[in-house]
């Protein structure tokens, strides 16, 4: 059983790591890059999302790739920097970055769906899990051409894979994050079930 005094001493550092991760994660790269490119507000097209999939609907693959890298990178950076202070701080910062992307204070707490940042956090905490994610995502995407379905299947595979590889703390974190991914994709799930979900490369 953890020493309550130790937890009391560690709590401020965990909160600081969580807030640091949140601020880093709340940077809306999709919105920034599309505005800098003169394409306006990406929230006014397609799904209204600020993530790479919606940025791709502008027709600019380079901006979509840049958004994907930026959203993933902020999760990885949060984990690695906080990790200098310990693994618990790395986990807290990773969760903070993920939540920051989903609920950025600068955008009225209306952010993206978190898949790229999920992957970035995964790279920083347990890179074999990122390999699992990538393989599953690419396989499902190749077969179905549904980005949302690929992300959902990968989000199920990751915690299971982490447990099997004995990354127990990381697996527990990603169980929580995967549940949130499913909640954020509830409209996509409805469209998948009704057969109206947009495929990769499609419009709308």
């Amino acid at each position: 059983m953890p020493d309550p005094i130790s937890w009391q001493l560690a709590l401020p550092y965990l909160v600081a790591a969580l807030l640091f991760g949140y601020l880093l994660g709340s940077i809306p790269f999709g919105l920034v890059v599309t505005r800098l490119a003169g394409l306006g507000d990406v929230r006014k097209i397609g799904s209204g999302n600020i993530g790479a999939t919606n940025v791709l609907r502008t027709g600019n693959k380079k901006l979509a790739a840049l958004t994907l890298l930026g959203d993933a990178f902020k999760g990885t950076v949060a984990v690695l920097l906080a990790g200098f202070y310990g693994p618990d701080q790395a986990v807290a910062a990773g969760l903070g970055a993920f939540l920051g992307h989903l609920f950025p204070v600068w955008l009225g707490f209306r952010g993206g769906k978190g898949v790229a940042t999920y992957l970035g956090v995964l790279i920083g905490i347990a890179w074999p899990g990122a390999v699992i994610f990538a393989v599953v995502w690419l396989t499902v995407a190749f077969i179905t051409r549904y980005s949302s379905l690929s992300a959902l299947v990968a989000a199920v595979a990751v915690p299971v894979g982490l447990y099997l590889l004995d990354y127990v703390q990381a697996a527990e974190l990603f169980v929580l994050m995967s549940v949130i991914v499913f909640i954020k994709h509830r409209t996509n799930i409805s469209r998948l079930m009704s057969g109206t979900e947009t495929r990769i490369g499609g419009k709308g």
Side-chain angles (χ1 to χ4, degrees), residues 10 13 18 23 29 37 67 76 90 112 119 124 136 145 147 149 168 179 182 187-188 197 202:
Y13 297 97
L18 183 72
L23 291 174
F29 280 102
T67 300
T76 304
L119 179 58
V136 173
R145 291 181 56 236
S147 175
L149 181 61
V168 177
V179 169
F182 268 78
T187 56
N188 301 86
E197 177 71 326

Side-chain angles (χ1 to χ4, degrees), residues 74-115:
K74 64 190 181 185
T76 304
V77 169
V79 169
L80 294 181
L81 291 180
F84 284 113
Y85 299 92
D88 291 339
Q89 284 78 9
V91 168
L95 178 60
F98 181 65
L99 295 176
H101 179 78
L102 298 177
F103 310 108
V105 63
W106 331 111
L107 304 180
F109 302 102
R110 298 175 66 180
K113 294 183 179 178
V115 176

Side-chain angles (χ1 to χ4, degrees), residues 14 30 141 143:
L14 294 174
I143 295 170

